[in-house]
Amino acid sequence: MSDQHTLLAARSVTKTFTKRSQTVTAVNDVSFELPAGGSLGIIGESGSGKSTLVRIVIGLETADRGSFLYRGEEHKLDLRRSRRQRLTDARRMQIVFQDPTVSLDPRETLRESLSRILHLHYNLSGPSAASRIRELTGAVGLTERQADALPSQLSGGQKQRVAIARALSVEPEILILDEAVSALDVSVQAQILNLLNDLRAKLGLSYLFVSHDLSVVQYVTDHAIVMRRGQVVEAGDTRSVLSNPQHPYTKLLLASVPAPGWSPDAAVLLRRELEATEVPA
Amino acid sequence: MPLLSIRGLSLSISGRRGTNVVLTDVSFDVDEGECVALVGESGSGKSMTTKCIVGAQPEGSEISGSVDFAGTDITRASRSTLLRMRRAEVAMIYQDPRSGINPIQRVGDFVVEAVVASGALTQQAARTRAIELMRAVRLRNPEQIMMRYPFELSGGMLQRVMIVSALMGSPRLLLCDEPTTALDVTNQAEVVNILGDLQKKRRLAMVFITHDLDLAAAISDRVCVMRDGRIVESGTTSQVLNAPSHPYTKALLSSRPTLGGDTATRLPTIAETLAAEGAER
């Protein structure tokens, strides 16, 4: 049983894909707990299963085995659930993807998009919708003019703010960020990371923060799991995982991050050692 | 005399909406066996600089200054000179290996194609050389990889294939445009290690473009920091990283979260650092 402070818990979640008679276990017996108001990092490289895991959480994929508990009750995203249930689920969690150019409708401004969402979820229109739109636009640091711009007229960082504003519009309890700052220039990345920390402090949001970038994970999360080939190889509070890693893979990840005085040689050695102990994928 | 010497390179593109100045007074040298990193954010002019080095600047652009490669001014070179140079003396690798390879051609056919077509090597000699180079970039079972299609290889493997393809013609200068940005960190470490190795062993001159100063530090001898089409600071890598003199370089260095760094404080964005330094934008 999870205690009452746990907002979302995953219990032994497993997902297998079969392609041309080859079976890949993308997510293998993964469990985690996200405390209310907490921020959990999901660290891993491509193919680690981190994106599949959050796609299952948000309902874009279904797990073969395992379950999720939301505030201690079973959380199941049935494809045939009612419209009402879908709206309720949408207000629990929202997701922001890596590339806003792909995830935003190129024909729709932020204002149009928010109007539609606010009407759908809260039946808001007119002045009350307008004032909520002003609030959301301001919360992510965009101007009224930018709210009326098409995605193509905005920069990468501005588009990512649009995606975040849309996600926040339904007041979700959990915001899933899937490599949401990875494609941004460092100066824009700094702004978005500050924004995420501010929003969590102000709104009491919880984050599931998927990233391969260890220093970014350290900046926005309290706890973290490290995934490799579908499995959690290490879990703990972010600072100790990253300052005192136990698993060889976590050590390799850390040795691979360029930093002052860094040389790739140590990482190359650690990788050889790790691969020697593993069965080839 | 340096192998590559760029002096006062400026480039502007005139369009219906007026003239867009892309590069202003860019000057730097690259010696044989030396690696120079160009560091900056998107739109800083790093990639355009490398385009000018191979004479591939956009059609209709105004170019002034000189790009001297082994005694030839590229900005005034004839088409046949440019083609000869690109075939035998200068090679490039890019960020996304998948966009630079024919998806329906076997990897082996792709890597030997250019040198065989130019008559530099026979089919047999080219295949032997490709297999040698694949060993040098630590691809296991090169004979088997030659028979594969690009979709069967991971991003890290494919980028190593691109390095092989770039080195087939025994170039003297290798231009690397964010060659590891699309790769996982552990693959990035491997590729950086391989490039450093090749560069030393073959006395290759290299221009390495990246947005990551710490990564630049690991591979380059000298660094040029670019912003808005200008080099704002240049010097030996340790000089620029350990004692940056330009406010923009300082801002770039401080806007990224660091492992083990303070997570309680806000990240200074580039604009904030510049304002604090009292520098104009």
Side-chain angles (χ1 to χ4, degrees):
Chain A
M1 279 314 287
S2 59
D3 64 282
Q4 60 186 58
H5 298 297
T6 303
L7 187 56
L8 179 74
R11 294 278 177 264
S12 305
V13 174
T14 298
K15 171 76 182 176
T16 306
F17 290 105
T18 309
K19 197 171 140 195
R20 284 203 225 132
S21 76
Q22 265 195 332
T23 304
V24 179
T25 307
V27 176
N28 193 350
D29 196 24
V30 170
S31 301
F32 64 76
E33 278 180 15
L34 174 66
S39 176
L40 178 75
I42 302 174
I43 300 171
E45 296 187 287
S46 29
S48 63
K50 60 190 195 305
S51 286
T52 305
L53 178 63
V54 292
R55 288 173 66 87
I56 297 170
V57 173
I58 196 92
L60 291 170
E61 305 276 359
T62 48
D64 300 335
R65 282 196 302 280
S67 60
F68 291 98
L69 296 176
Y70 192 87
R71 294 196 182 285
E73 280 170 33
E74 186 167 20
H75 172 75
K76 209 167 175 200
L77 295 169
D78 193 334
L79 289 174
R80 284 166 311 205
R81 68 209 137 118
S82 66
R83 171 190 154 88
R84 199 186 151 139
Q85 188 59 45
R86 271 187 287 132
L87 292 178
T88 309
D89 290 337
R91 287 195 292 269
R92 284 183 175 173
M93 336 178 175
Q94 284 289 314
I95 187 164
V96 176
F97 294 103
Q98 174 167 3
D99 186 355
T101 316
V102 180
S103 54
L104 297 176
D105 183 338
R107 301 161 301 185
E108 202 176 50
T109 67
L110 175 60
R111 189 180 308 282
E112 286 162 355
S113 151
L114 290 178
S115 305
R116 192 166 46 75
I117 298 169
L118 293 172
H119 184 72
L120 177 70
H121 279 271
Y122 304 103
N123 206 14
L124 280 184
S125 56
S128 45
S131 98
R132 178 77 179 122
I133 291 171
R134 209 172 305 124
E135 201 180 296
L136 285 162
T137 307
V140 297
L142 289 172
T143 64
E144 292 282 310
R145 255 186 85 185
Q146 287 162 339
D148 288 313
L150 288 172
S152 59
Q153 297 164 316
L154 298 171
S155 70
Q158 289 163 350
K159 275 185 273 199
Q160 200 60 299
R161 284 164 197 264
V162 169
I164 295 172
R166 275 172 47 109
L168 293 179
S169 63
V170 295
E171 303 173 88
E173 294 191 272
I174 300 176
L175 190 58
I176 301 174
L177 299 138
D178 188 358
E179 299 278 9
V181 299
S182 307
L184 306 173
D185 266 332
V186 278
S187 59
V188 183
Q189 192 182 66
Q191 291 168 17
I192 301 282
L193 291 177
N194 286 334
L195 173 67
L196 290 176
N197 279 344
D198 289 349
L199 288 173
R200 182 151 82 103
K202 214 183 299 170
L203 305 175
L205 282 171
S206 304
Y207 293 153
L208 275 183
F209 191 88
V210 178
S211 180
H212 68 281
D213 189 328
L214 302 182
S215 42
V216 166
V217 169
Q218 186 206 258
Y219 199 73
V220 284
T221 69
D222 313 320
H223 295 89
I225 57 176
V226 181
M227 289 184 71
R228 171 148 169 98
R229 296 184 182 172
Q231 286 177 307
V232 174
V233 296
E234 188 154 358
D237 79 88
T238 308
R239 226 162 228 278
S240 42
V241 167
L242 296 182
S243 62
N244 186 21
Q246 300 300 310
H247 192 275
Y249 179 63
T250 318
K251 291 180 186 174
L252 165 62
L253 274 180
L254 275 158
S256 303
V257 180
W262 175 79
S263 135
D265 307 1
V268 169
L269 269 179
L270 284 171
R271 184 166 158 161
R272 295 280 173 285
E273 286 172 20
L274 180 67
E275 282 173 350
T277 65
E278 286 177 332
V279 212
Chain B
M1 212 181 87
L3 181 64
L4 175 72
S5 178
I6 300 180
R7 284 289 165 273
L9 179 67
S10 297
L11 181 124
S12 56
I13 303 169
S14 299
R16 265 176 294 164
R17 289 201 207 156
T19 302
N20 186 10
V21 180
V22 185
L23 296 175
T24 308
D25 197 21
V26 170
S27 302
F28 66 92
D29 292 341
V30 188
D31 277 316
E32 191 177 277
E34 184 187 40
C35 176
V36 173
L38 301 181
V39 179
E41 297 184 278
S42 10
S44 61
K46 319 176 293 266
S47 293
M48 192 58 83
T49 305
T50 60
K51 284 191 179 148
C52 293
I53 297 173
V54 290
Q57 63 273 15
E59 226 156 284
S61 53
E62 282 285 318
I63 193 165
S64 64
S66 65
V67 177
D68 195 287
F69 177 79
T72 309
D73 184 357
I74 302 301
T75 61
R76 288 171 184 78
S78 67
R79 195 171 154 69
S80 62
T81 308
L82 286 178
L83 287 179
R84 191 174 57 238
M85 192 191 88
R86 288 180 208 158
R87 197 183 298 139
E89 306 204 77
V90 184
M92 288 195 78
I93 47 176
Y94 301 94
Q95 177 170 339
D96 181 7
R98 265 177 232 284
S99 62
I101 194 165
N102 182 347
I104 55 164
Q105 193 179 24
R106 286 182 201 276
V107 161
D109 296 336
F110 167 77
V111 294
V112 302
E113 190 175 37
V115 281
V116 172
S118 72
L121 291 177
T122 63
Q123 180 78 24
Q124 193 49 51
R127 295 193 84 83
T128 311
R129 178 165 170 77
I131 288 171
E132 263 171 41
L133 284 169
M134 283 191 182
R135 291 216 172 85
V137 299
R138 303 169 205 157
L139 282 167
R140 265 170 275 173
N141 304 325
E143 289 86 356
Q144 281 177 33
I145 288 180
M146 298 278 280
M147 299 304 290
R148 299 254 187 230
Y149 287 99
F151 72 85
E152 297 177 285
L153 304 183
S154 70
M157 287 169 86
L158 207 55
Q159 192 60 295
R160 288 187 250 175
V161 167
M162 299 313 272
I163 297 172
V164 168
S165 151
L167 296 179
M168 283 297 288
S170 307
R172 301 166 73 187
L173 174 65
L174 184 61
L175 307 174
C176 307
D177 191 348
E178 302 262 10
T180 60
T181 307
L183 303 181
D184 282 326
V185 272
T186 57
N187 272 317
Q188 165 167 288
E190 186 86 43
V191 168
V192 168
N193 183 270
I194 288 167
L195 283 173
D197 230 35
L198 289 169
Q199 194 231 337
K200 259 179 244 132
K201 282 194 191 130
R202 290 163 200 258
R203 300 218 16 92
L204 267 174
M206 201 152 93
V207 175
F208 191 95
I209 293 186
T210 177
H211 61 279
D212 185 338
L213 271 165
D214 290 321
L215 179 61
I219 193 153
S220 66
D221 305 295
R222 284 186 300 121
V223 173
C224 302
V225 180
M226 293 191 74
R227 183 178 191 223
D228 297 339
R230 292 170 194 270
I231 293 179
V232 296
E233 177 163 9
S234 64
T236 65
T237 303
S238 62
Q239 211 172 34
V240 173
L241 266 102
N242 298 330
S245 65
H246 195 279
Y248 180 69
T249 315
K250 292 181 195 169
L252 257 188
L253 282 166
S254 61
S255 64
R256 255 195 66 73
T258 52
L259 271 176
D262 189 1
T263 54
T265 51
R266 294 174 64 82
L267 289 168
T269 64
I270 287 184
E272 285 162 5
T273 313
L274 290 181
E277 290 267 339
E280 57 193 17
R281 269 199 55 94

